[in-house]
Amino acid sequence: MTGTEGPGAATNIKRRPKAWEYMKDFAFALPALAMLLIFIYYPLVNSFYLSFTNWNMTRPNKEFIGLDNYEKLLTGDTFYKVLGITFTYTVFDVLLTLGIGLMLALLFNVTSRFFNFMRSVIFMPHYISMVIVSMVFLWIFNSQYGLMNELLKFLGLEPVDWLTNPKTALWVLIVVSVWKGVGFAMIIFIAGLRGIPLEYYEASSIDGASKWTQFRKITLPLLSPITLFLVVTNFISSMQVFQSVDVMTNGGPLESTKAMVYWIYEMAFAEFRTGRASALIIMFFIMIVLLTVLQMYVSRKKSITKGRFISKCLHP
Amino acid sequence: MLITALKTPHELRLAVPTFWPERLMWENFAEVFRKIPFWRYFANTAIQTVGIVVLQINVALMAAYAFAKGSFPGRDKLFLLVLAALIVPDQVTFVPVYVMMADLNWLNTFYALIVPHAASAYGIFLLRQTFRSIHNDVIEAAKVDGANRLQVLYRILTPMALPTVATLVVISFINSWNSYFWPLVMTNSNDMRVLTVGIAMMRDSIAGDEMLNFHYLMAASIIVIIPIILLFVFAQKYIIAAMSNSTFK
């Protein structure tokens, strides 16, 4: 334990009692710990408790109803529909964001004034409020005046009711999220690309490897830890999609964009079914935890195999 | 299609002047201020943001100091508790916190917007990493000179960790400025709305004749984005460096 302190740290210069020193150090950690306990851990436990009750926020007492909330959710159709929507959104959002992000990273991994500027322009939306972004896309995909339909008309195609058609609305939301997220993926991929030693490319081109082979055999494998990081973080944040749904579609048309968090919000604050909403929250949280654990497990494995990848690349 | 999409953030800021005649545009801005209590929303957003940033940074500085350089029993186990908080999103805690705020009569106050976000697990994590890389001799030397813990933290460690602190200020500023879910849940009076919620409500109230009012929304949006763009331009280096670093660790 004291090894991490370095030499001399544990010796009490002023010879105060040790417990008193501990207390003083602990006091510095206390505000943060108290806040996390009150606003993260207690609510988490409380949500878990509420999920076994039929509380509706206005009722003064909570009645314990066991697993009833979970049973109702898991036997109803809506749960699977919402889960399907959330996963469709998440999977395509992640695939497109990372795919396009990687392409942009390969294109823009050049240091020059112009490319630096372009990188900033592409990266910027990551930091712009999703509400504002949604508003802009609401206008772009407006069926009467939107840019998208103007473009279709210009190309001689039929205009589409993007946001009022159950078949296209979810895709509009995916496009919005991809547009906002590619910059971040690009920046992280570029950081990854710059971490790959140039010797690997030199060595392999002496061996006669083509650019495509180099990409497949060197770039992709060596980017895999970063890709994994991006997949998991993007996956988790995609699953929490809420703002764009709330601003652009309100879960409609015909509930075709009702994603998990929107449903939770609706259940808790429009229908006031606090107990059932809590059950949904707990199931949602378990999914996030499982994903995080999966990432930690896989990334531990990856770092072991990484060495083998590199030696394979160098000596095929 | 993607190229069009990629261009728009850029165009959006320029698009309003090109799509509408110059003269009309300024009227749009004026109209926004007449239609919604824009400056009220702006002030609310600013107070919320400054409150969260100041609290988060100070709480994180102190905790990071304790976890990096302090010694007390269970230090590393408690740090795991901090790290674990990273995976709990707002959407998981909001119902009990809402009830808590209601019991305290804090709904529709800045307390409900600011206090629950006082501790940032990410901030503590990042600052702890930075503090750990600072040599203990520096702290010992200061202690010999008679500095107490607070002085060591604020006079010596904080200036040495300035790039990380700046990064955290920027990230925390942007997150709170753009936050939507939390203020939407915790406030319902018009006086307490922040910009994001106010603008979304503005859209709802004009949903019928959307197109007639879209330029107002855009005008309002531009004002919301300006602080973020300014911050981004000045702090871009920090942000990108911090993000790249935290990925590899």
Side-chain angles (χ1 to χ4, degrees):
Chain A
M1 262 310 204
T2 44
T4 55
E5 300 305 299
T11 49
N12 283 316
I13 296 160
K14 288 171 192 167
R15 275 188 227 140
R16 292 235 180 89
K18 218 170 185 179
W20 179 240
E21 292 296 312
Y22 283 159
M23 288 293 281
K24 277 169 136 186
D25 278 344
F26 182 69
F28 273 64
L30 194 61
L33 288 171
M35 284 298 168
L36 292 176
L37 281 178
I38 297 170
F39 294 113
I40 304 270
Y41 289 107
Y42 163 72
L44 196 60
V45 174
N46 199 3
S47 280
F48 190 65
Y49 162 70
L50 287 175
S51 73
F52 298 110
T53 69
N54 66 351
W55 196 44
N56 68 0
M57 248 187 225
T58 46
R59 213 174 284 166
N61 46 347
K62 311 169 175 79
E63 212 178 299
F64 191 80
I65 54 166
L67 287 168
D68 197 48
N69 284 323
Y70 292 93
E71 201 188 309
K72 288 261 165 56
L73 283 171
L74 290 171
T75 51
D77 295 335
T78 323
F79 179 75
Y80 299 98
K81 200 182 157 192
V82 169
L83 206 61
I85 291 167
T86 311
F87 273 91
T88 313
Y89 172 89
T90 305
V91 167
F92 284 101
D93 183 23
V94 172
L95 281 178
L96 290 170
T97 305
L98 295 203
I100 298 169
L102 180 58
M103 271 163 36
L104 290 172
L106 294 168
L107 278 174
F108 288 103
N109 187 16
V110 183
T111 315
S112 82
R113 263 217 139 106
F114 172 73
F115 282 104
N116 290 349
F117 175 73
M118 280 310 289
R119 277 202 300 275
S120 308
V121 170
I122 298 172
F123 180 47
M124 179 97 73
H126 180 67
Y127 281 122
I128 292 176
S129 154
M130 190 54 157
V131 172
I132 307 292
V133 173
S134 303
M135 217 65 88
V136 175
F137 276 85
L138 208 53
W139 172 62
I140 291 177
F141 284 98
N142 182 284
S143 51
Q144 284 177 50
Y145 313 90
L147 271 185
M148 216 50 222
N149 277 347
E150 290 295 323
L151 189 73
L152 288 182
K153 270 186 235 162
F154 180 74
L155 295 171
L157 298 167
E158 281 290 298
V160 179
D161 290 335
W162 296 104
L163 285 161
T164 43
N165 183 340
K167 281 186 189 135
T168 52
L170 192 64
W171 289 98
V172 174
L173 296 182
I174 292 172
V175 167
V176 173
S177 173
V178 170
W179 177 84
K180 195 174 184 295
V182 283
F184 179 77
M186 176 192 73
I187 294 286
I188 301 291
F189 273 131
I190 286 178
L193 287 174
R194 293 190 175 165
I196 300 177
L198 286 173
E199 291 92 73
Y200 296 165
Y201 293 102
E202 284 159 15
S204 64
S205 60
I206 290 169
D207 291 348
S210 69
K211 280 261 183 268
W212 173 242
T213 318
Q214 285 184 339
F215 175 72
R216 273 192 317 134
K217 292 277 160 77
I218 300 174
T219 314
L220 274 188
L222 288 179
L223 281 182
S224 61
I226 286 188
T227 313
L228 181 78
F229 163 83
L230 281 172
V231 167
V232 175
T233 49
N234 267 297
F235 207 95
I236 291 174
S237 65
S238 273
M239 276 173 62
Q240 296 168 25
V241 58
F242 174 77
Q243 302 192 15
S244 55
V245 180
D246 194 42
V247 173
M248 295 181 79
T249 65
N250 282 321
L254 297 173
E255 302 197 333
S256 63
T257 57
K258 195 167 177 174
M260 194 60 96
V261 172
Y262 191 79
W263 194 31
I264 292 174
Y265 174 75
E266 212 178 56
M267 208 184 284
F269 284 98
E271 299 165 16
F272 296 106
R273 287 195 293 187
T274 318
R276 194 164 304 173
S278 300
L280 199 53
I281 286 172
I282 293 301
M283 287 197 278
F284 177 68
F285 180 60
I286 289 172
M287 289 180 222
I288 292 178
V289 172
L290 287 178
L291 277 169
T292 313
V293 171
L294 187 76
Q295 182 211 6
M296 296 203 297
Y297 177 73
V298 178
S299 62
R300 198 163 296 166
K301 257 189 153 179
K302 269 272 157 59
S303 56
I304 299 165
T305 48
K306 202 172 126 189
R308 266 182 248 151
F309 263 123
I310 296 171
S311 55
K312 244 188 188 173
C313 294
L314 282 175
H315 314 286
Chain B
M1 186 177 86
L2 184 87
I3 293 166
T4 333
L6 280 174
K7 276 181 186 162
T8 18
H10 212 56
E11 271 174 12
L12 148 71
R13 278 164 253 134
L14 309 168
V16 173
T18 39
F19 272 55
W20 281 276
E22 194 93 353
R23 191 185 58 79
L24 243 170
M25 188 192 115
W26 300 112
E27 285 181 12
N28 289 346
F29 282 97
E31 192 63 31
V32 168
F33 302 139
R34 230 170 297 146
K35 272 193 173 324
I36 57 171
F38 187 87
W39 293 117
R40 175 84 223 190
Y41 296 168
F42 195 92
N44 289 343
T45 314
I47 294 170
Q48 172 191 253
T49 305
V50 171
I52 291 180
V53 171
V54 170
L55 259 178
Q56 271 191 0
I57 297 296
N58 286 297
V59 169
L61 275 173
M62 289 175 72
Y65 179 37
F67 285 119
K69 298 293 180 189
S71 63
F72 50 88
R75 186 189 75 166
D76 295 351
K77 286 206 181 75
L78 285 170
F79 184 66
L80 281 182
L81 198 71
V82 174
L83 280 187
L86 274 171
I87 58 168
V88 187
D90 279 354
Q91 284 83 354
V92 169
T93 56
F94 78 98
V95 172
V97 177
Y98 177 87
V99 176
M100 210 190 290
M101 295 294 130
D103 289 343
L104 288 167
N105 269 325
W106 275 8
L107 290 178
N108 281 315
T109 67
F110 285 110
Y111 297 119
L113 296 179
I114 295 170
V115 178
H117 289 110
S120 147
Y122 177 71
I124 298 169
F125 166 73
L126 217 61
L127 277 171
R128 174 179 173 268
Q129 299 282 93
T130 312
F131 284 169
R132 276 172 70 110
S133 68
I134 294 172
H135 210 276
N136 280 328
D137 294 352
V138 180
I139 299 165
E140 290 309 314
K143 277 189 178 163
V144 170
D145 288 345
N148 63 30
R149 281 176 176 73
L150 273 175
Q151 285 166 334
V152 169
L153 175 59
Y154 283 100
R155 298 244 170 92
I156 292 157
L157 289 181
T158 308
M160 288 177 83
L162 210 58
T164 312
V165 177
T167 310
L168 280 177
V169 169
V170 171
I171 290 176
S172 156
F173 183 97
I174 292 172
N175 284 341
S176 347
W177 188 267
N178 289 340
S179 70
Y180 177 71
F181 185 78
W182 200 262
L184 179 71
V185 169
M186 296 301 161
T187 63
N188 56 28
S189 81
N190 199 26
D191 281 349
M192 280 306 295
R193 269 179 203 149
V194 294
L195 281 169
T196 47
V197 177
I199 288 180
M201 296 277 170
M202 182 173 156
R203 176 204 118 60
D204 285 346
S205 66
I206 58 162
D209 50 349
E210 229 167 62
M211 249 12 254
L212 295 174
N213 289 296
F214 233 90
H215 42 305
Y216 299 139
L217 283 176
M218 291 299 123
S221 302
I222 287 167
I223 309 174
V224 179
I225 295 175
I226 285 172
I228 297 295
I229 291 175
L230 287 177
L231 200 67
F232 185 83
V233 169
F234 287 118
Q236 194 192 3
K237 248 187 227 161
Y238 284 134
I239 303 174
I240 292 177
M243 281 191 332
S244 314
N245 286 338
S246 61
T247 316
F248 294 122
K249 270 158 197 165

